[in-house]
Amino acid sequence: MEEQIIKTEYSDVMQKSYIDYAMSVIIARALPDVRDGLKPVQRRTLYDMHELGIRFDKPYRKCARIVGDTMGKYHPHGDSSIYEALVVMAQDFKKGQPLVDGHGNFGSIEGDGAAAMRYTEARLQKITQEVFLADLDKNVVDFGPNFDETEKEPLVLPVKIPNLLLNGAEGIAVGMATSIPPHNLGEIIEAEKAFLKNPDITTEELMQYIQGPDFPTGGIVVNKDQLLEIYKTGVGKIKLRGKVEVEQVKGGKERIVITEIPYTMVGANIGKFLNDIGNLVETKKAPDIVDISNQSSKDGIRIVLELKKNADTNQIINMLYKKTKLEDTFGMNMLAVANGKPETMGLRTVIEHHLDFQYEITTRKYKTLLDKELDKKEIQEGLIKACDVIDLIIEILRGSKHIKEAKACLVSGETGNIKFKSQASKKAAAQLKFTERQATAILEMRLYKLIGLEIEALLKEHEATLLNISKYEEILSNHSAMTKVIRKELDSIKKSYAVPRKTVIENGVEAVYEEKKIQEQEVIFLMDRFGYAKTIDTTIYERNKEAADSENKYVFPCMNTDKICLFTDNGTMHTIKVLDLPFGKFRDKGIPVDNVSNYNSSEEQIIFTVPLKELNDKYLIFTTKYGMMKKVMGTEFEVSKRTIAATKLNEGDKVCTILTEPLVLISEGMSISEIPKNTNNLVLQTRNGIFLRFSSTEIPEKKRGAVGVRGIKLTGTDEVEQVYIFDENETYAIEYNQKEVVLSRLKKAGRDTKGFKYRG
């Protein structure tokens, strides 16, 4: 068959492919289904454990076995994603109701990861078996083929409670994300029962039962009045605080004890919280905290802050709320898959979808049970009827040559090939009208069933079957009867698994914290050649001036409220706050500037340091080793970012020097003759001893993102080594090759020339 090339617009192909990919991520991976509240990986893992028989009352099995079986049969997306989902379902500090019973190291609330799957074991929780996976054998949900069509898997689990609310969900899809907090099991069951009683119930009425989120870590929700609007729309910010207690200790001192943390702090954020408190102490914003200890254990969270005597405890607590993650927000976005599409839902909509699902699975369950009972009834009636004419049936069986002849006689009264003892028996046999199934059951019946007690038991069983049929037909035909069944199941689940609420819901008082105003003063900035920096008092500097100047590479006065600009050879500017540097004794070592900025001493080198305020009325003159030069207004470096690109460099080039030059200030009403003239001269010195002198006015003013212009023509591999600036009316000399060079006597040339070799 001849190949055909189909031409199509590239953008159309990309659009279709991207939409297909996005929908695959949204529906098949990232978002939970509103009916069972599970993502595909969670659903498949639980179903696989169910199929493997790893029930709550059976021994634990290796997680590696569970992960491998799930990946091989149902979820071909890699073992790490399956194991991570399994671990999270077993962590009681992340899930309102863990669905997996883990045995071994499944991580900790402080962010420790779980052990490898070859070490850990798991089995289903009892609630998972009874509430999430029950009735799968009763055709309550649809099954579909797995990825290679060798197995069948449920498209949704028959979960009897709104798991989307119970355990919440987190997921990032393409262009959308879901973030749903966990809730209290008892409360959501009561809300569902209220919905069953009144299908027109409002969100406000539902929230009389569901107070708000119930996080496994406890804590306090402090914006109670905003919850109604959040639950109406399904979108909003829940404000969380940790639980803080104040304990009295000996000596009239107090300690702050954090016993519950916000849900958002679970994991590595606990370590960050402790570091943040440490930083507050180091920067003297919390000088009354004398010790921090994390005494948390398997019994719960306990973070202790020891305070000085007479410390303002309330002020410190408010500072923790404002400056750390002890008060945080949980961004709520109740997005889930409903009817095959992603949808943002409010509380009422979620419960409505789940109850619709409950009616569906309950209907399917009782239809299946009714069909089984009807089948039993048919067979029982056949056996009862057979017991009444058992002698005739035995005669039919003894007179038949083949089982087919006997069955045909029982079903349709065909007696042609059967030998009877009498004509009366033949006439009675011709009147038999058993069904196919009844005939099969009669032919398979064992002789002991003819014992009197067995016949009596059969009659009792038949009565029970008739009662079940009546019961099931009533449930299926009467909506209120089905509602009663659903309500009864909810009551049973609540009685077995409900636990008291952990999270307190209230309208918290806004934390008010005012930082003490820092008294502005002049200090001396010191940084040695190893990058260790500190500040000292001006009087201390005056007493140690000679030693300070000789031992440090950068020494200059600045205000303690200022920022220090660090310019590096790769064209970057880093800023550090003077307050972040230690202030104290002259002989203190200081701290590496790497610790208080983004500067990396292993990749770049500081070539110029200056207080930010000094750049207001100055130009910065950049010179690179390849001779590129430019002037940049100092105000361009007044930015809030800690790190910016100070200049653009050509490939392989480096900044070798940065000089400052005062701006020529022009006052209003000043005549041309009164404008001061720039008389600064620049001298460029190269590694090979080439000198070039020209006026600084030849260097154009450029923006930070410009490369600049060429200052000197270099020959071979020569590079610019040093740049000097001086007033042409002053005598300016340097030492070069152990000889004095008076730069102000050098012959003046133009920019972008070769210069000349100095020979003394």
Side-chain angles (χ1 to χ4, degrees):
M1 184 175 177
E2 189 176 342
E3 290 185 1
Q4 288 185 339
I5 297 175
I6 301 173
K7 293 185 178 181
T8 184
E9 187 67 32
Y10 183 71
S11 59
D12 293 340
V13 175
M14 288 297 294
Q15 183 178 5
K16 182 180 182 304
S17 299
Y18 186 77
I19 290 173
D20 290 346
Y21 159 73
M23 288 306 296
S24 172
V25 172
I26 291 167
I27 304 299
R29 294 182 75 173
L31 299 186
D33 192 299
V34 69
R35 295 171 294 175
D36 62 6
L38 298 170
K39 298 180 186 179
V41 63
Q42 296 170 324
R43 185 180 305 117
R44 288 164 174 169
T45 303
L46 295 177
Y47 177 67
D48 185 75
M49 293 175 74
H50 173 75
E51 288 296 288
L52 289 173
I54 314 174
R55 314 293 172 88
F56 68 92
D57 53 354
K58 297 290 171 57
Y60 294 94
R61 297 280 286 277
K62 285 288 186 185
C63 289
R65 169 66 193 279
I66 298 168
V67 170
D69 202 65
T70 304
M71 182 169 59
K73 289 181 179 177
Y74 310 115
H75 196 73
H77 291 294
D79 56 356
S80 61
S81 64
I82 300 170
Y83 185 51
E84 285 170 15
L86 179 67
V87 166
V88 170
M89 287 192 288
Q91 292 177 327
D92 58 3
F93 51 85
K94 283 191 178 178
K95 292 295 180 183
Q97 175 61 61
L99 304 180
V100 172
D101 180 7
H103 185 244
N105 177 12
F106 274 78
S108 74
I109 194 171
E110 296 185 3
D112 301 314
M117 68 180 92
R118 61 183 177 273
Y119 300 119
T120 54
E121 298 176 328
R123 65 184 177 190
L124 292 170
Q125 291 275 15
K126 187 177 181 182
I127 187 174
T128 314
Q129 195 65 51
E130 295 183 349
V131 180
F132 283 67
L133 296 160
D135 301 329
L136 276 173
D137 58 340
K138 296 180 177 66
N139 190 34
V140 290
V141 293
D142 292 331
F143 279 69
N146 68 338
F147 62 91
D148 62 358
E149 299 187 358
T150 58
E151 302 277 345
K152 293 284 186 180
E153 62 174 314
L155 304 182
V156 64
L157 293 185
V159 183
K160 298 175 183 177
I161 53 175
N163 181 53
L164 191 69
L165 295 174
L166 174 63
N167 277 324
E170 284 187 3
I172 299 173
V174 178
M176 58 184 68
T178 185
S179 180
I180 305 172
H183 293 78
N184 184 269
L185 175 60
E187 291 181 8
I188 59 177
I189 286 177
E190 287 301 315
E192 283 219 318
K193 287 165 60 181
F195 199 110
L196 288 170
K197 189 175 182 180
N198 176 19
D200 297 322
I201 194 169
T202 63
T203 304
E204 191 171 2
E205 291 169 330
L206 283 171
M207 290 197 68
Q208 293 176 11
Y209 304 96
I210 298 178
Q211 298 179 44
D214 187 21
F215 296 101
T217 55
I220 307 168
V221 172
V222 293
N223 59 335
K224 181 180 179 180
D225 287 346
Q226 297 174 6
L227 293 183
L228 176 59
E229 186 60 29
I230 292 172
Y231 278 99
K232 277 182 179 178
T233 60
V235 177
K237 290 185 178 179
I238 297 170
K239 202 170 185 180
L240 299 173
R241 283 182 185 170
K243 188 175 180 182
V244 178
E245 297 175 358
V246 178
E247 295 180 356
Q248 302 292 329
V249 292
K250 292 181 181 179
K253 296 179 182 179
E254 292 181 328
R255 64 161 69 108
I256 294 172
V257 181
I258 298 160
T259 55
E260 293 177 6
I261 59 173
Y263 186 65
T264 52
M265 201 191 284
V266 170
N269 280 331
I270 293 180
K272 186 180 184 304
F273 170 66
L274 296 172
N275 287 335
D276 288 343
I277 298 176
N279 290 335
L280 291 172
V281 175
E282 285 181 12
T283 55
K284 299 183 180 176
K285 291 179 181 176
D288 289 334
I289 299 176
V290 296
D291 186 52
I292 311 163
S293 60
N294 186 2
Q295 300 174 13
S296 304
S297 65
K298 62 181 180 180
D299 297 323
I301 293 291
R302 183 177 169 84
I303 298 171
V304 181
L305 308 181
E306 302 286 350
L307 307 180
K308 291 180 180 177
K309 191 174 182 180
N310 300 322
D312 189 342
T313 308
N314 289 332
Q315 176 77 347
I316 294 171
I317 292 172
N318 286 338
M319 179 186 65
L320 294 177
Y321 285 148
K322 286 290 186 183
K323 297 288 186 182
T324 70
K325 289 276 186 181
L326 191 60
E327 179 177 285
D328 204 2
T329 55
F330 181 95
M332 182 164 158
N333 184 23
M334 294 175 70
L335 179 71
V337 177
N339 300 319
K341 297 182 294 185
E343 181 183 340
T344 300
M345 294 168 274
L347 175 63
R348 190 185 183 284
T349 309
V350 171
I351 294 177
E352 185 177 19
H353 274 295
H354 184 262
L355 284 176
D356 288 344
F357 179 56
Q358 285 307 295
Y359 279 111
E360 179 190 337
I361 63 175
T362 306
T363 301
R364 293 178 64 161
K365 172 184 175 180
Y366 283 99
K367 276 184 178 177
T368 303
L369 291 175
L370 178 61
D371 290 342
K372 287 183 178 179
E373 292 299 316
L374 289 172
D375 290 344
K376 282 168 67 177
K377 176 193 170 190
E378 180 185 348
I379 292 169
Q380 287 165 357
E381 287 176 344
L383 292 176
I384 291 169
K385 184 180 175 183
C387 287
D388 293 337
V389 291
I390 192 64
D391 293 335
L392 177 60
I393 291 173
I394 292 171
E395 191 174 338
I396 292 169
L397 294 175
R398 294 186 69 179
S400 301
K401 292 182 180 179
H402 303 289
I403 194 170
K404 287 183 180 180
E405 295 172 352
K407 190 172 184 180
C409 181
L410 293 173
V411 173
S412 56
E414 295 179 14
T415 59
N417 297 323
I418 301 174
K419 293 180 181 179
F420 292 93
K421 292 181 180 179
S422 66
Q423 197 64 27
S425 297
K426 185 173 184 180
K427 187 176 180 181
Q431 293 175 352
L432 294 176
K433 294 292 180 183
F434 290 102
T435 65
E436 286 276 347
R437 299 178 69 179
Q438 288 174 338
T440 302
I442 291 167
L443 293 171
E444 292 176 352
M445 182 177 66
R446 297 188 179 184
L447 288 175
Y448 78 86
K449 289 287 185 181
L450 300 176
I451 298 171
L453 289 175
E454 288 294 325
I455 295 172
E456 192 176 326
L458 177 61
L459 292 170
K460 286 183 178 179
E461 186 181 343
H462 182 56
E463 287 177 13
T465 300
L466 293 176
L467 285 173
N468 284 338
I469 290 171
S470 176
K471 175 185 171 184
Y472 298 157
E473 286 178 340
E474 172 67 12
I475 291 171
L476 290 169
S477 61
N478 190 328
H479 186 270
S480 61
M482 185 174 290
T483 301
K484 189 176 179 181
V485 169
I486 294 172
R487 186 183 292 114
K488 187 177 179 181
E489 281 192 334
L490 291 173
D491 283 333
S492 175
I493 294 168
K494 181 183 176 183
K495 184 178 179 181
S496 300
Y497 302 108
V499 294
R501 162 175 281 278
K502 294 179 180 178
T503 301
V504 177
I505 310 291
E506 64 182 27
N507 284 313
V509 179
E510 180 70 23
V512 178
Y513 169 69
E514 292 183 5
E515 289 190 40
K516 293 180 181 178
K517 289 187 177 180
I518 298 163
Q519 187 176 358
E520 193 172 22
Q521 70 176 89
E522 187 178 64
V523 295
I524 304 298
F525 172 82
L526 305 174
M527 187 170 79
D528 62 21
R529 60 192 180 92
F530 301 108
Y532 282 78
K534 63 187 175 188
T535 57
I536 59 173
D537 191 82
T538 51
T539 54
I540 295 176
Y541 171 70
E542 292 298 331
R543 290 198 299 269
N544 300 275
K545 188 175 186 304
E546 187 175 339
D549 292 345
S550 62
E551 294 173 8
N552 292 282
K553 187 175 181 180
Y554 296 101
V555 180
F556 51 75
C558 60
M559 302 306 294
N560 62 343
T561 55
D562 200 359
K563 290 181 180 180
I564 305 296
C565 300
L566 309 175
F567 292 87
T568 67
D569 59 351
N570 68 359
T572 303
M573 184 192 82
H574 305 285
T575 58
I576 54 175
K577 292 180 180 179
V578 176
L579 288 171
D580 289 342
L581 298 172
F583 174 79
K585 298 176 182 178
F586 173 67
R587 285 300 169 191
D588 289 347
K589 190 174 184 181
I591 60 171
V593 289
D594 307 49
N595 293 3
V596 289
S597 69
N598 294 328
Y599 170 67
N600 188 339
S601 56
S602 63
E603 296 179 359
E604 52 189 337
Q605 183 180 350
I606 297 171
I607 58 169
F608 183 63
T609 304
V610 65
L612 181 61
K613 285 183 180 176
E614 280 197 17
L615 298 178
N616 287 339
D617 57 352
K618 289 184 175 64
Y619 281 118
L620 289 185
I621 302 175
F622 287 80
T623 308
T624 73
K625 68 178 185 178
Y626 290 168
M628 302 304 293
M629 301 183 74
K630 69 174 180 181
K631 285 183 185 178
V632 182
M633 286 277 287
T635 52
E636 283 209 34
F637 300 97
E638 294 178 358
V639 293
S640 58
K641 293 181 180 179
R642 295 181 67 185
T643 300
I644 61 169
T647 186
K648 187 177 180 181
L649 294 171
N650 291 322
E651 188 176 350
D653 206 357
K654 295 275 188 184
V655 180
C656 66
T657 62
I658 299 175
L659 302 172
T660 61
E661 180 182 58
L663 292 172
V664 177
L665 301 175
I666 303 174
S667 304
E668 189 176 347
M670 187 180 287
S671 64
I672 295 176
S673 60
E674 292 175 321
I675 297 174
K677 294 182 180 179
N678 185 342
T679 57
N680 288 328
N681 278 197
L682 294 170
V683 172
L684 275 65
Q685 172 208 318
T686 72
R687 189 175 56 201
N688 293 341
I690 302 296
F691 287 82
L692 175 63
R693 176 186 172 189
F694 57 88
S695 173
S696 69
T697 56
E698 295 189 48
I699 304 298
E701 182 185 333
K702 298 281 187 181
K703 294 293 183 183
R704 281 193 289 118
V707 175
V709 297
R710 192 164 61 181
I712 184 172
K713 288 181 179 177
L714 299 171
T715 57
T717 58
D718 201 5
E719 295 175 356
V720 176
E721 198 171 69
Q722 192 57 265
V723 183
Y724 306 96
I725 186 168
F726 56 90
D727 190 293
E728 65 179 11
N729 299 318
E730 68 172 311
T731 302
Y732 191 85
I734 63 165
E735 185 177 311
Y736 179 73
N737 283 348
Q738 300 180 348
K739 294 181 181 179
E740 184 182 66
V741 180
V742 182
L743 300 181
S744 51
R745 293 179 185 172
L746 295 177
K747 185 178 178 182
K748 209 169 184 181
R751 179 186 65 80
D752 198 21
T753 55
K754 289 187 176 182
F756 66 93
K757 182 87 171 178
Y758 182 78
R759 304 187 184 281

